[in-house]
Amino acid sequence: MDFATADLSERDAYKLLGSLVIPRPIAFVSTHSADGMLNCAPFSFFNAVGYAPPVVALGLEQWDDGREKDTGLNIRRTGEFVVNLVDEPLAEKMNLAAIDFPPEIDEFAEVGLTPAPSTRVAPPGIAEAPVRLECVRSALVQVGSKHTVVLGEVVSFHVRDDLIDAQKLHVSEAWRPIGRLFGGSYSRLDNRFDLPRVALDDWKNRSQT
Ligand SMILES: Cc1cc2nc3c(=O)[nH]c(=O)nc-3n(C[C@H](O)[C@H](O)[C@H](O)COP(=O)(O)O)c2cc1C
């Protein structure tokens, strides 16, 4: 099957992209408004895109009337946000925080999450999240008519003690983030396999062994 994007509606392009590019990690983003109202919402158009410095990217959709989501407005106005990563115990509240609450609702209080003070940015993280990345906005890029891509530099990593060896920085298999599939479907990390990298010399010598 071959689908030219030019022949697809926006909705169908979303259906294809969103159900083919899976599983996607979930950024449960916490921010506050210019006057301090807390906000959190999940985004699966999300990934790590660089490490020197560490940079993450978020794809924030705008509403049909062109309005930005509260997360986008807050990042535009304050320049800071926290990406909270999501494991299964946090999944249900993450899903509730995706409800289109109006800006005057504090989603932490509304869905029963605990703000965790950040160390290097003003917005709090989510205490229930096993990993929190404190981020400073480095760019906001308007892409087409519907999306703002946010690039954020990670200025601090908080990792729950049992998930990491603090000396070696090895993350344990207890770190089990969920992945977004499509619609209301998610995946678990319970079927890992190993595939060691192949060095160029080993590849060249493969026929002689
Ligand atoms: C798992 C999940 C992933 C989502 N990913 C995105 C996304 O990548 N981009 C987006 O604009 N909205 C996404 N949403 C919808 C937003 O979370 C939702 O519109 C939310 O109300 C926005 O909140 P805000 O206005 O407080 O920023 C997602 C929702 C869920 C449940």
Side-chain angles (χ1 to χ4, degrees):
M1 293 285 184
D2 183 53
F3 303 92
T5 304
D7 299 335
L8 296 172
S9 64
E10 282 179 354
R11 177 76 204 153
D12 286 345
Y14 171 69
K15 275 167 80 173
L16 287 180
L17 194 66
S19 52
L20 291 170
V21 184
I22 58 167
R24 294 186 302 282
I26 300 169
F28 193 3
V29 178
S30 48
T31 54
H32 61 55
S33 66
D35 55 10
M37 174 60 72
L38 296 185
N39 189 83
C40 57
F43 298 91
S44 67
F45 281 4
F46 159 62
N47 223 310
V49 295
Y51 65 84
V55 175
V56 295
L58 303 171
L60 308 184
E61 203 179 311
Q62 286 135 19
W63 300 115
D64 287 338
D65 61 6
R67 272 184 311 122
E68 260 186 319
K69 295 189 176 180
D70 297 332
T71 300
L73 270 180
N74 292 347
I75 294 173
R76 189 178 294 281
R77 290 182 180 155
T78 69
E80 295 184 336
F81 59 101
V82 180
V83 169
N84 304 272
L85 299 179
V86 180
D87 60 3
E88 210 168 334
L90 189 54
E92 206 170 309
K93 287 185 175 173
M94 174 280 295
N95 191 39
L96 292 176
I99 296 172
D100 181 20
F101 294 114
E104 61 276 14
I105 296 285
D106 168 348
E107 280 137 353
F108 279 80
E110 190 72 16
V111 309
L113 290 165
T114 317
S118 293
T119 52
R120 290 174 182 85
V121 297
I126 295 172
E128 290 79 0
V131 176
R132 309 196 295 268
L133 311 177
E134 296 180 10
C135 299
V136 173
R137 180 194 69 212
S138 42
L140 286 180
V141 184
Q142 177 71 31
V143 177
S145 58
K146 279 200 79 111
H147 286 89
T148 307
V149 172
V150 178
L151 295 179
E153 182 176 332
V154 180
V155 294
S156 204
F157 295 78
H158 298 264
V159 185
R160 208 175 60 208
D161 289 353
D162 61 304
L163 299 181
I164 192 157
D165 174 325
Q167 260 71 51
K168 296 185 180 144
L169 299 188
H170 289 171
V171 174
S172 86
E173 291 205 6
W175 171 224
R176 295 163 71 84
I178 57 167
R180 174 104 192 267
L181 299 179
F182 189 66
S185 290
Y186 296 86
S187 61
R188 296 186 178 92
L189 252 191
D190 54 5
N191 220 351
R192 296 177 192 228
F193 66 99
D194 294 323
L195 189 60
R197 283 287 289 271
V198 179
L200 179 59
D201 284 344
D202 293 339
W203 175 250
K204 286 180 184 161
N205 295 334
R206 70 193 181 286
S207 51
Q208 295 145 28
T209 56

